[in-house]
Amino acid sequence: MEPPSGSASRQHVPWSRLLLAVSLLTFWTPPTTAQPTIETVPPLAAEGSNVLLLAHNVSENPLGYAWHRGERVDNTQLIALYRVDNNATTNGPVYSGRETLYPNGTLLIWNVTQRDTGSYTLLVTKNDLQTEIQTGHLHVHPPVARPSLQASNTTVTEHEGPVVLTCLTDETGVSIRWFFKGQSLLLAERMTLSSDNSTLTIDPVSREDTGDYQCEASNRGSSSRSNPLRLRVTYGSGPQRPPQDVVPLAALSPRPPDLMPGLQLPSTRNYYAPTQTFTVISATKQMWDLSSSRHISLTDCGKELT
């Protein structure tokens, strides 16, 4: 049985009205206002670093800003407030002396500690006396502990090896970099790194590998570098070859006839003997007598070890 036509007309909305409503919803939506957001920079802060709590999407030309500790507006937890009309900042009960509130609503916290970890709430007062509230979060972790550097051997012979340097750290999920003589290490063909960069292998070693090595462990918040470790590479057991800028001791003439005691040499030169390398920095009669007999006294002859 079909229902009475009168009942149907009272229960259903006419199609013309329904289409009009759909059209309005399709082409018009109520205006929306972007809500303020808080960005923590850096997201993970190391103890002792400086942190920004950036305020985004804040209403234009507000009357003022107020930052509070915690997840709600509480005057007993007020850090500081800023009034735009007179450019004045008022510090609150929990102001520590390390906070700076900028005219754009951003809060800077200097030298953060783990006690600064927690929530921070921004209250924005608009020109119409309406308010906007948004909460951000700050996490402060302790510094990345200083790594230590370990070597399989710190004094090795040239052209031998391998030498294995290992960077030791208690932290997990860190990235490791290597430094040589204070600069980023440039890997030679003789050098290899483990997959996690924690181990550096040099094989064979060369005289140019002599120097201080360091490793640096870092995460998103901080980095720490090990104390230097000195690697010494000595000459091999075969015939010793002096550096190119060193002259054999035999090149010293017994004694030039015009050389007087205490007379300065024309230029400083390096000289080489089978057991030592030294620099002649002054000339005396005693020095030339000793050099001619091949008995060199570094103290008496005024020479300086290179």
Side-chain angles (χ1 to χ4, degrees):
M1 177 184 298
E2 294 183 1
S5 58
S7 301
S9 62
R10 290 192 299 268
Q11 293 177 2
H12 297 280
V13 178
W15 277 106
S16 59
R17 295 183 183 179
L18 181 61
L19 290 176
L20 177 60
V22 171
S23 299
L24 291 175
L25 290 175
T26 301
F27 295 102
W28 178 86
T29 56
T32 59
T33 302
Q35 295 297 313
T37 58
I38 306 301
E39 179 187 6
T40 305
V41 181
L44 296 177
E47 193 168 31
S49 63
N50 302 327
V51 176
L52 283 172
L53 297 177
L54 299 176
H56 297 296
N57 299 328
V58 176
S59 297
E60 294 184 0
N61 303 318
L63 294 178
Y65 309 94
W67 279 97
H68 303 76
R69 283 297 304 262
E71 297 184 349
R72 62 189 181 91
V73 175
D74 183 351
N75 288 335
T76 64
Q77 297 298 310
L78 176 67
I79 300 173
L81 61 85
Y82 174 81
R83 288 186 56 178
V84 175
D85 58 349
N86 59 2
N87 193 31
T89 300
T90 302
N91 299 325
V94 297
Y95 175 74
S96 70
R98 297 177 292 111
E99 296 89 357
T100 301
L101 179 52
Y102 291 100
N104 63 357
T106 292
L107 182 68
L108 170 64
I109 306 177
W110 300 85
N111 193 25
V112 295
T113 68
Q114 293 187 64
R115 290 178 296 180
D116 294 320
T117 295
S119 300
Y120 291 78
T121 297
L122 171 63
L123 172 68
V124 181
T125 303
K126 300 188 291 185
N127 282 326
D128 58 2
L129 299 183
Q130 297 296 312
T131 59
E132 297 174 336
I133 299 176
Q134 188 55 261
T135 299
H137 303 278
L138 170 62
H139 178 74
V140 181
H141 61 82
V144 175
R146 180 186 294 273
S148 60
L149 198 54
Q150 189 177 76
S152 58
N153 198 345
T154 57
T155 302
V156 293
T157 304
E158 187 179 24
H159 305 310
E160 295 185 1
V163 172
V164 179
L165 305 177
T166 303
C167 186
L168 303 175
T169 176
D170 295 331
E171 302 292 330
T172 59
V174 297
S175 59
I176 295 177
R177 295 176 58 197
W178 288 87
F179 293 84
F180 178 58
K181 297 181 179 179
Q183 304 295 324
S184 294
L185 175 66
L186 298 177
L187 290 179
E189 293 183 358
R190 301 171 289 100
M191 300 177 179
T192 56
L193 286 172
S194 61
S195 58
D196 60 357
N197 286 359
S198 64
T199 301
L200 171 66
T201 302
I202 308 175
D203 187 22
V205 294
S206 171
R207 288 279 292 181
E208 63 190 36
D209 299 326
T210 295
D212 291 337
Y213 290 79
Q214 291 174 282
C215 67
E216 181 181 81
S218 60
N219 56 26
R220 295 176 61 187
S222 63
S223 62
S224 181
R225 194 176 298 187
S226 69
N227 291 324
L229 183 145
R230 172 62 62 89
L231 177 64
R232 295 179 176 85
V233 181
T234 62
Y235 286 119
S237 57
Q240 297 183 11
R241 178 172 55 86
Q244 294 181 356
D245 63 342
V246 172
V247 180
L249 183 61
L252 280 173
S253 59
R255 183 186 180 193
D258 58 346
L259 183 64
M260 299 299 294
L263 183 65
Q264 193 74 18
L265 284 177
S267 61
T268 299
R269 298 193 67 183
N270 296 328
Y271 292 89
Y272 170 75
T275 59
Q276 58 194 4
T277 301
F278 50 87
T279 301
V280 177
I281 58 175
S282 65
T284 65
K285 177 179 182 298
Q286 182 186 21
M287 179 184 73
W288 289 101
D289 291 342
L290 289 173
S291 66
S292 62
S293 63
R294 300 301 185 265
H295 297 290
I296 303 298
S297 170
L298 300 180
T299 302
D300 296 336
C301 297
K303 305 177 186 68
E304 183 183 48
L305 283 175
T306 58

